[in-house]
Amino acid sequence: MPMVAMVALLGALVLGTVLSACAAPGSTVTGPTGYDDRIDLGVPGEVVETVTGVEGYPACHNEPITYDGTTWYPFLPENLADFPEVGPHPTTGGGLGGGTMRIVLPAVAEPGPGDDVGTLTVFEGGFAYWISDSRDLDAWLTDQELTYPWIC
């Protein structure tokens, strides 16, 4: 195994171990929470706002999106059938890739055009939905801090 790959793998394992030990004070969800673990956090209320041009790149489903001082964490709802259907939003044409990548590891593809900028729909109850301008990436989000047992 090449030295760079070994260092990246070791760094990912160490960081994953450190992050999995973290938990939000007062959090009702105990971490780490895996993507395949569905979570029932309730159901979104009414739409509060819809904002275009929000940077994000949830390619691995563990990358938070921060907007207007709130950090949103991706999750897979246990009760997805009870969630509202979010209609398509006009494409703003933003994002040429690379704008929000924090750590580049070999397993994550660089964002393509419109993958790292999208529309954020914020709902009452601490929920949001983000969809990329390319329509290739989307995620349900919560403002409740979550931890993930993987790094990619």
Side-chain angles (χ1 to χ4, degrees), residues 69-82:
T70 301
T71 301
W72 297 97
Y73 298 87
F75 76 105
L76 183 60
E78 178 178 287
N79 52 337
L80 187 58
D82 298 330

Side-chain angles (χ1 to χ4, degrees), residues 12-151:
L13 291 173
V14 169
L15 186 57
T17 301
V18 170
L19 291 177
S20 69
C22 299
S27 174
T28 59
V29 174
T30 56
T33 300
Y35 178 74
D36 290 333
D37 297 334
R38 294 175 180 251
I39 307 169
D40 185 354
L41 298 174
V43 178
E46 297 295 317
V47 172
V48 174
E49 70 177 315
T50 298
V51 184
T52 59
V54 177
E55 292 184 356
Y57 188 56
C60 294
H61 301 286
N62 66 346
E63 303 90 347
I65 293 173
T66 301
Y67 170 73
D68 198 27
T70 301
T71 301
W72 297 97
Y73 298 87
F75 76 105
L76 183 60
E78 178 178 287
N79 52 337
L80 187 58
D82 298 330
F83 275 52
E85 187 172 323
V86 182
H89 299 284
T91 302
T92 60
L96 295 175
T100 59
M101 285 296 292
R102 305 290 192 271
I103 299 173
V104 178
L105 294 176
V108 181
E110 289 290 324
D115 285 346
D116 63 350
V117 172
T119 301
L120 181 72
T121 303
V122 178
F123 294 86
E124 291 176 340
F127 294 96
Y129 177 78
W130 183 90
I131 185 166
S132 67
D133 286 350
S134 69
R135 308 272 189 267
D136 289 337
L137 297 170
D138 67 330
W140 276 102
L141 308 162
T142 178
D143 62 0
Q144 182 171 330
E145 184 175 2
L146 302 176
T147 57
Y148 306 90
W150 73 92
I151 295 175

